Amino acid sequence: MPRVQEFDTESVVSAARNIFWDKGFEATSVPDLEQATGLNRSSLYNAFGSKRGLFDAAVQDYLQRIVRPRMRVLVDEPTASDAAAQYYRGLAAELSNIPDELCANGCLLLNSAAGFAAHDEIQRSVVDAYRAELAAALEHALRALDPSSARAVVERRARMLTAVSIGAMLLSRVNTVEAVALVDAAVEQLDQWGRAAS
């Protein structure tokens, strides 16, 4: 008879996500995952196939629970003209309120880009898909800010703001104050574009 799973997959993935987010994929050991999840190696491998399988589940959990809720303001309909500014104000507030012990966490996806994703096609694709999803969401919000802007202008602005988001999340690992200042600069720029559009 097949064994019945006796744990909550969502809780296990969430616990694993947090340890991967803190230490990164490469530095996270299976004993770290056993301690974080309360499961032994064989249970983890039976459920997820490998450490990498658990990491992939953790990345999807991160996208669904952390990234997409944060981006929702950019794509919800009807989209407010200040949706992009709301997104960056929220990001600044989030970065400002991170407890000291979590400041070095940054972004789970971007952390992998600075690590093993450089040599891993699957993870590189996941990170680039996140970049593209954020850029598209920002383009949507920028059209609400200035509906008369040319497509090329919107694309260029979205590319720049995407870089600001990525830079701020990476910078938050070493200097939260400067990361928040970078996000605040994006809000100031958005306010200028909004005033010019009105």
Side-chain angles (χ1 to χ4, degrees), residues 35-50:
Q35 182 176 2
T37 64
L39 297 180
N40 62 33
R41 179 184 305 252
S42 63
S43 294
L44 290 172
Y45 277 61
N46 283 334
F48 301 99
S50 63

Side-chain angles (χ1 to χ4, degrees), residues 47-63:
F48 301 99
S50 63
K51 172 183 159 184
R52 177 55 190 271
L54 181 52
F55 177 77
D56 290 343
V59 165
Q60 291 308 310
D61 182 75
Y62 179 77
L63 284 165

Side-chain angles (χ1 to χ4, degrees), residues 114-164:
F116 83 99
H119 310 289
D120 185 289
E121 184 62 37
I122 293 171
Q123 188 60 18
R124 191 161 53 235
S125 295
V126 170
V127 173
D128 196 47
Y130 158 66
R131 178 210 52 79
E133 184 175 352
L134 176 59
L138 285 164
E139 282 184 36
H140 182 83
L142 287 169
R143 285 190 199 95
L145 175 67
D146 184 2
S148 65
S149 280
R151 181 182 179 125
V153 171
V154 171
E155 289 174 353
R156 185 173 63 247
R157 289 175 175 179
R159 187 172 288 119
M160 184 199 76
L161 290 172
T162 300
V164 167

Side-chain angles (χ1 to χ4, degrees), residues 33 38 45 49 60 74 99 107 112 145 154 171 178 186:
L33 293 168
Y45 277 61
Q60 291 308 310
L74 298 170
C107 169
S112 76
L145 175 67
V154 171
L171 190 55
E178 190 58 29

